[in-house]
Structures are given as C-alpha cells and as structure tokens.
Amino acid sequence: MASYPVRIVRFYRDGFKSMTLGKTLWKIIFVKLFIMFAVVKFFFFPDFLSTRFSTDEQRADYVMEQITAPAQKSN
Amino acid sequence: MGEIDLALVNWSRAQFALTAMYHWLFVPLTLGLSFLCAFFETIYVKTGNEEWKHLTKFWMTLFGINFAIGVATGIILEFEFGTNWSNYSWMVGDIFGAPLAVEGIVAFFLEATFFAVMFFGWDRVSKGFHLFSTWMVAVGSNLSALWILVANGWMQYPTGMAFNPDTVRFEMQNFWEVLFSPVAIAKFTHTTSTSFLVAVMFVFAVSSYYLIKRRHVEMAKRSILVASVFGLISFVYAGLTGDESAYNNARIQPMKLAAYEGLYEGKRGADLVAFGVMNPDKTVGDGQDPFLVEVAIPKGLSLLGKRQFDAFIPGVNDLVYGNAEENIVGYDQKIERGKQAIADLSAYKDAQKAGDAGAAEIALAQFKENQEFLGFGYLQKPEDGIPPVQTSYYSFHIMVYLAVFFGLLCLAYLVYGIKDTIEEKRWLLPFGVISFFLAMIASQAGWVVAEVGRQPWAIQNMLPVGVATSNLAAGNVMTTFWMFAILFTLLLLAEIKIMLNQIKKGPEGA
Ligand code: HEM
C-alpha cells in the first residue's frame, strides 16, 4: 500500500487523466482566469488608491478630501 | 472632487449592474443544484439502487459545467470595487477585506478537496465518504455566499460599526452585530432559499423536456419527485424570508418599500397593490394618481410592512417632504444636517492639520451629532433621494407573481409525481420547461428590487453612489463595460452550448 501523499497525488492524477468533458471545462477555466488576471486586472483594473499613493495616511487624506470637498452632487 | 461626473457615475453603475447580473446567472444554480445532488446521492446510498447513481452523476455533471463556467466571475466585482469605487472601498475595505479573503481561501480548499472527491472519487473512495463530500460541496458553496451577502446587508443597514474620521473608515465595533443583523439574516436566507427554487426549476425544465421527448422517462420522474418536495419547502421558506425582508424594509429602508409598492401618499391601513399599471408621467409631489389601473388588497401593505392592519406606512411624499403628524422628518431637514456634518468633518480635518486639538475636539463632537445624516449632505435637493419607482415596482411584482407560479408548479408536479401521472400531463410539461427561465427572471428581479430600490445609496444614508466612485475618465469605464459585455456573453454562450450538448446526451454521457 503506497503512503498517503502518494495515494493523494495518484488520485488527482488519475482523475485528471480520465476526464473527458472536464478537460474542456478546465481549458475554459484557465483561459478565463488568464484573461481576468493577466489582461483585465493588469491592464484595466489597477487599484485606484494603491497605484496613486504610497501610504495609508495619504490614502485616508485623499478620501477625506473627496468626501468633504464642497459642491458635492449625488447620483 | 468638486462636481461629480454624472456620466462616470452612471457608467460605473451600469458596469457593476452588468457584471453582477451576469455573475448571478451562474450562482443560484450552483447554490441549489449542489443540494439537489446531495439529496439524489443520499437516496442512492440509502437504497443502493444504481439508477439513482446514474441520475446523481447526470445532475452532477450539469452542476460541474455551471460551476466551471461561473467560477471566479464574481472576482470581477472585486476588481471594480478597487478601481471604480475606490472611495467606498477605502471606507469599508478594512472590515470586508479580511473576512472575504478568509472565506475565499477556505472555499478554495474545501472545493479543491471535496470537488475532487465528488467528481473523481466514485470508484475510489467509500460510498459514505463520497456522499459526505457531496454534502460538503453543498454546504461549502452556500457558506461561501455568506460573507458577501452580509456585506451587502451591511450596506443596506450599516450597523455594528463606527466611522473613524482619522482613518476615514468604518471600523468594526461588533462582529456579531454585523453578522447577525436582521438584514443580513434575511438576505442570506432569502437569497439561498430562492436559489434553491431556481435549481428546482432547472431540474423541472430538463426533466420536463425529457418527458415531452419521452426519453429517460424514469430518471426524469424520479428527479421531479425529489425536486418538487425540495421546491415546495423552498417556496414556503422563500415566502417567509421575503416577508421578513419587507418587514425590515419598512423599518430600515422605508423609501425602498414605498418605491416597490408605488406608494406616494402614506396612510394608516395602507393597501397592497396586487395588480397595477403605473402612470408613467407620475412625479413626486405632482398630485397625480400613481396608478392608471389598480387592484389592491385592503390594508395588506400595513400588514406586510408593520404586521398590523392599521399601522402607518409612509409614502414617497411623506419621506421626501416630511409628515409632522406621523413624526417623519423630511429630506430637506436631513440634507441640512448632512451638510452640517460634512462641514464639521472638514473643520475637524483642518483643525487636525493646524495642530489645534481644542478646535478638533469641538468639530468632532459637532460632527457626531449629525453623523447619521452625513449622506444626505451630498444630495442637492430632497428629490435626489428617490430611487427609480417604476423599476422597483415592476421588479418586485414580477418576483412575487412568479413566486406564486413556482409554488403552484411545485405542488402540481408533486401531486402528479406521486400519482405517477406526470408524463401524461402534456399540457403541464411546457410550463416546466419554461419555469427555469422564469426563475432566473424572478431572481434577477429580486436583486433589482434590493439594489435599484436603495438608490442613491452605496451605504444607506451615509454615502451616495456619486461620492463612492473614483475620479476616473468615464470613457475608460465605458470601454471596460463593453469588454465585460463581450466576455460574459461568450461565457454564457459556452455554458448554454455545453449544457445543451450534455442534456442531449442524457445520463449516458455523464
Ligand atoms: C412571496 C414571495 C416573495 C416575497 C414576499 C419576496 C420579497 C422580497 C423582498 C422584500 C426583497 C427585497 C429585500 C431587500 O431589499 O432588503 C426581495 C429580494 C430578493 N428576492 Fe424576493 N420575494 C419573494 C419571492 C422570490 C422568488 C420566488 C425569488 C426567486 C426565485 C426571489 C428572489 C429574490 C432575490 C434574489 C432578492 C435579492 C436578495 C435579497 O435582497 O434578499 N424572491 N424579495
């Protein structure tokens, strides 16, 4: 009887090997994750405050500025 | 910030709505089908009948397809928080960031372990452990919806936290108050119970299709029987939790209740509109009848909202312009106090910068007096505090009409299922086929009620959406809106194609 880690590795390996529909689904998952993180997040969705400021104090100051600036309009 | 760019705010909202609604196409099915798979497999383990095993594997495959395609679509919403809604994210991030991250990690490990057993383990682990894994997937999937719904509940009813003007953040005071806030409880229970209904309708749709085609008849009948029992229980539960949500709305978000009931003039013993066509030209305070046609249940709204026949339910007019008789303060006064809160906050910040501790202390004390009206200070005029009434009204009524339909359908399917005559009811089966699409509509409509109905607030009474956004160019948000529209449409098409393919193959393909 093989040891537990070996059996677990085999369990996953054999499981992945014997997949049919699952292979297509995994491809979709990977392509999706790639597009989301490597393209969407990286190029289009930088974190607004992290990229503009280096300390939390600056971020807090900035947000305070935003919420106390006069002539606020809503909607 | 100064002037708020309306185009920016509206594109940011549109983008959030688009991605949230697309994400929500996948979620309810995951939440409900996971439990149905667990029920099916439990019957298999109890009876040892291999037919039930085939049946379970079939639904599990469909569950797997939906899960694979839907997984991580919610992450997009988090991207949007950081980029488009940075003021909001900063103000609440401290609280919601950590629990969401923990939940994500726990969910990942649960899924990596138990999903693997569920799909790979049929012949490799014991029956009992396999069943346990299936149940864990169901419980885990539903629990992973918990914190995000608690967060949503908090935005509707910000309790258990205090605003710290030094960090400009809402900070947690009482974890349990946040977790067990009545709104959070109603949100979680109503969302999960109605998602169970969505999945039940999915099982009905596929099974009814098989019965119409006279294929896989035994499997379809078995699936229907289990699903209809689960459906009826979920229907009752959905009704109770929906009622609880409306009761909360009456206390906590009366404007939302007034909007989705189309109630402009509040009254004691208010009627519940059972059926009505709204007057499209109606605006607040214009004296016109809000309805062109209306059939109402006498005193129904007072009963729904306050659980008393003669309780006063305020209408849009009362809330916006005030009603001294009923002790309701109008938005004009709230706006005044909100503006004072903003001015005091600003004075506090200036005093801090100038190192004037005494002045800072005074400003802070004054701020605290008006703090609960802070958000109103950003409104230009009282009418800015009204959500889109017609959208709220129609969404709410569509949800409730469909709820009745689902209840009746579950009942009919259960009765004919028990009598074993369901396949002869050819007139009924097409209703089963369309029921899933109607359930998706009801579920989306529910979110429209909850989210459109609470506009203009990102955080109820504290932060309107216009102030929650980041200072970006509207064009950028527009570009990513279309990018997501395309990306999600492709995912949806993939889901439909693979799903239909698998349904055509039937249980042999599982
Ligand atoms: C008699 C039945 C129902 C009643 C009285 C009811 C009531 C409500 C109310 C008042 C809300 C707004 C809650 C809030 O904003 O705080 C809501 C939201 C919602 N409803 Fe329903 N509902 C019913 C049936 C259904 C059905 C059948 C579905 C879907 C299949 C559904 C799906 C939803 C969803 C997804 C939400 C948004 C999440 C939430 O706010 O809880 N509802 N419902």
Side-chain angles (χ1 to χ4, degrees), chain B residues 21-153:
Chain B
M21 288 175 97
Y22 256 119
H23 173 56
W24 194 250
L25 286 178
F26 304 106
V27 179
L29 204 51
T30 301
L31 299 183
L33 208 49
S34 59
F35 271 112
L36 280 155
C37 288
F39 298 146
F40 294 141
E41 191 176 339
T42 305
I43 300 177
Y44 159 60
V45 173
K46 288 262 175 233
T47 59
N49 180 341
E50 288 290 311
E51 303 266 324
W52 282 99
K53 183 174 174 185
H54 286 137
L55 181 155
T56 309
K57 277 184 150 181
F58 170 70
W59 293 111
M60 239 175 224
T61 309
L62 300 189
F63 167 80
I65 295 170
N66 179 62
F67 185 88
I69 298 192
V71 71
T73 49
I75 289 182
I76 298 283
L77 303 174
E78 260 172 65
F79 295 171
E80 287 169 35
F81 277 132
T83 305
N84 299 355
W85 303 96
S86 58
N87 291 341
Y88 163 80
S89 299
W90 175 263
M91 293 171 85
V92 303
D94 200 33
I95 295 113
F96 294 128
L100 278 176
V102 171
E103 191 177 76
I105 293 166
V106 172
F108 175 80
F109 282 104
L110 264 177
E111 281 156 14
T113 317
F114 295 114
F115 263 69
V117 175
M118 188 166 150
F119 287 103
F120 302 158
W122 279 108
D123 304 315
R124 310 193 55 165
V125 299
S126 72
K127 268 189 187 175
F129 185 62
H130 194 275
L131 179 63
F132 173 73
S133 301
T134 307
W135 275 100
M136 287 309 288
V137 167
V139 173
S141 308
N142 278 267
L143 276 185
S144 66
L146 176 69
W147 197 257
I148 193 70
L149 291 171
V150 170
N152 181 282

Side-chain angles (χ1 to χ4, degrees), chain B residues 187 190-191 194 242 245-246 249 256 260 399 403 406 442-443 446-447 450:
Chain B
K187 225 95 325 230
H190 192 60
T191 304
T194 55
S245 303
N249 293 153
K256 184 192 274 185
Y260 67 66
M399 175 181 68
F406 303 143
S443 195
W447 277 114

Side-chain angles (χ1 to χ4, degrees), chain B residues 136-256:
Chain B
M136 287 309 288
V137 167
V139 173
S141 308
N142 278 267
L143 276 185
S144 66
L146 176 69
W147 197 257
I148 193 70
L149 291 171
V150 170
N152 181 282
W154 183 83
M155 292 163 77
Q156 322 255 358
Y157 178 40
T159 181
M161 298 196 206
F163 179 69
N164 179 347
D166 294 320
T167 55
V168 199
R169 287 191 140 156
F170 289 95
E171 290 171 358
M172 181 100 67
Q173 300 292 301
N174 186 337
F175 176 81
W176 303 110
E177 211 178 297
V178 177
L179 182 62
F180 293 119
S181 109
V183 177
I185 293 175
K187 225 95 325 230
F188 182 68
T189 51
H190 192 60
T191 304
T192 46
S193 57
T194 55
S195 297
F196 298 162
L197 267 179
V198 172
V200 165
M201 298 303 142
F202 177 73
V203 172
F204 281 0
V206 177
S207 306
S208 306
Y209 165 78
Y210 283 152
L211 292 181
I212 290 174
K213 294 271 170 201
R214 301 186 204 283
R215 289 172 54 196
H216 318 301
V217 172
E218 279 314 306
M219 183 189 86
K221 286 198 296 195
R222 287 194 168 115
S223 305
I224 284 177
L225 205 54
V226 175
S228 57
V229 174
F230 188 42
L232 266 185
I233 297 170
S234 306
F235 166 73
V236 173
Y237 192 31
L240 291 175
T241 52
D243 173 69
E244 182 68 19
S245 303
Y247 180 68
N248 285 337
N249 293 153
R251 282 183 304 137
I252 296 160
Q253 298 173 301
M255 181 61 93
K256 184 192 274 185

